[in-house]
Amino acid sequence: MKISIIGAGAMGGAMVQGFLKGNVFSSSDITVSNRTHKALDKFSQTGVNITTDNREAAANADIVCVAVKPWIAETVFKEIKPVLDYNRQILMTVVAGLPSEQITEWMKKDDGTMIPLFIVIPNIAIAECSSMTFITPIGADGRQTDMIKSIFDTTGSTLVVEEKLLPAGTILASCGIAYAMRYIRAASEGGVELGFKADDAKNIVLQTVKGAVDLLMSTGNHPEAEIDKVTTPGGITIRGLNAMEQAGFTNAVIRGLKLK
Ligand SMILES: NC(=O)C1=CN([C@@H]2O[C@H](COP(=O)(O)OP(=O)(O)OC[C@H]3O[C@@H](n4cnc5c(N)ncnc54)[C@H](O)[C@@H]3O)[C@@H](O)[C@H]2O)C=CC1
Ligand SMILES: O=C(O)[C@@H]1CCC=N1
């Protein structure tokens, strides 16, 4: 199976890294296309095919994934439309906030035929095969959906959702990774103030966050149940938590998630 990714930026590049670590695609099955050569340089040692010709990339794959910024998407979709085989190929997009209705309007043939389409929203941790990826099939059958899901199952966790849930998933997981990073940064800065060197503080926070994630994943517990085990009555943990809440921690996170 061959995949072409059009747009070799942060997300396109991370997808290639993730796919190279997985066992679905070999490097020669992957083609990356970018308008400029500069963004393709980072793939030169990987064995993937590189090109600046989007049409060439689109014609030579089973799955064609558009991974450019939203304001460039229309140009790219319309550019590749004439070379796509609607009976053989699958079209995929990772463009956030671009509705299927809009893509269908661009891609539908004059006789109304539409290519099977998947809107896929990974996060940047796909590079480490640790993504949370949302998948929405549009006009695809169950076999095609299982196939696309099985690809992204190799790069982390997946959830097949209705399109109306994609904006929420994008915020919680794709933007969410930046929000998690910000907590890590804040805690690291606090660690420096407490007396650790910057690198030590960061590593301590990373291991601590990993520990929290491992505990919740393995027990399936609610975070508050694990917090209860840490908060000694009258102790320093509850004092810290209450001070953070007083400063608006939970409220600030929820407000950030609800911004559009
Ligand atoms: N970065 C992220 O964490 C996530 C990004 N996305 C979506 O992925 C898409 C790409 O985002 P990024 O990778 O962050 O952007 P980016 O700006 O890093 O990458 C876009 C790439 O497309 C290339 N490009 C521009 N015009 C082109 C054309 N006509 N043909 C071929 N390539 C062209 C650019 O040179 C650039 O390398 C966006 O639509 C975004 O909404 C979705 C989920 C998460
Ligand atoms: O910030 C953005 O608009 C994109 C969508 C999700 C992550 N990056």
Side-chain angles (χ1 to χ4, degrees):
M1 189 163 37
K2 291 184 184 299
I3 188 165
S4 286
I5 298 170
I6 300 179
M11 180 44 67
M15 289 173 76
V16 173
Q17 280 181 266
F19 290 148
L20 286 173
K21 289 186 175 123
N23 54 8
V24 176
F25 302 106
S26 61
S27 56
S28 59
D29 293 332
I30 302 171
T31 298
V32 192
S33 177
N34 205 82
R35 193 185 39 179
T36 53
H37 235 292
K38 197 165 180 294
L40 296 168
D41 289 347
K42 58 181 177 274
F43 302 108
S44 58
Q45 305 295 325
T46 64
V48 306
N49 308 295
I50 53 174
T51 177
T52 52
D53 184 340
N54 292 340
R55 285 191 173 170
E56 180 192 306
N60 295 318
D62 304 294
I63 303 167
V64 180
C65 177
V66 175
V68 296
K69 288 291 191 196
W71 53 91
I72 294 162
E74 178 176 2
T75 309
V76 170
F77 277 113
K78 289 184 174 173
E79 180 186 3
I80 62 174
K81 183 176 178 180
V83 301
L84 291 176
D85 180 342
Y86 282 33
N87 294 316
R88 184 183 66 81
Q89 291 176 293
I90 286 174
L91 182 61
M92 187 191 287
T93 167
V94 297
V95 178
L98 182 59
S100 65
E101 210 179 356
Q102 178 65 81
I103 301 170
T104 304
E105 193 189 309
W106 295 333
M107 298 306 285
K108 205 171 50 180
K109 288 192 170 168
D110 290 343
D111 65 3
T113 317
M114 179 60 190
I115 190 167
L117 172 68
F118 285 87
I119 305 180
V120 174
I121 301 291
N123 69 28
I124 205 75
I126 195 167
E128 297 301 327
C129 295
S130 199
S131 176
M132 176 67 235
T133 303
F134 298 91
I135 299 168
T136 299
I138 308 287
D141 62 29
R143 190 187 53 81
Q144 291 164 328
T145 302
D146 289 346
M147 192 260 291
I148 296 297
K149 184 176 173 346
S150 71
I151 291 171
F152 286 95
D153 281 342
T154 67
T155 61
S157 295
T158 57
L159 203 56
V160 177
V161 295
E162 288 181 40
E163 188 170 3
K164 66 177 184 214
L165 266 179
L166 282 179
T170 304
I171 291 166
L172 209 49
S174 300
C175 310
I177 207 152
Y179 306 150
M181 299 282 180
R182 192 52 73 83
Y183 168 79
I184 290 166
R185 190 194 80 173
S188 302
E189 287 178 354
V192 175
E193 197 171 325
L194 289 171
F196 285 105
K197 289 182 185 164
D199 270 358
D200 288 342
K202 187 191 75 183
N203 289 335
I204 291 164
V205 174
L206 288 182
Q207 181 56 39
T208 305
V209 170
K210 182 178 179 304
V213 171
D214 287 348
L215 272 174
L216 294 177
M217 289 264 194
S218 80
T219 61
N221 281 347
H222 190 280
E224 212 54 37
E226 293 300 323
I227 287 174
D228 276 348
K229 296 181 194 166
V230 187
T231 47
T232 306
I236 52 175
T237 311
I238 191 63
R239 288 219 299 276
L241 284 171
N242 287 345
M244 287 179 195
E245 288 306 335
Q246 212 174 3
F249 182 77
T250 301
N251 192 34
V253 171
I254 294 173
R255 278 181 67 179
L257 293 175
K258 284 165 80 175
L259 281 182
K260 284 230 171 135

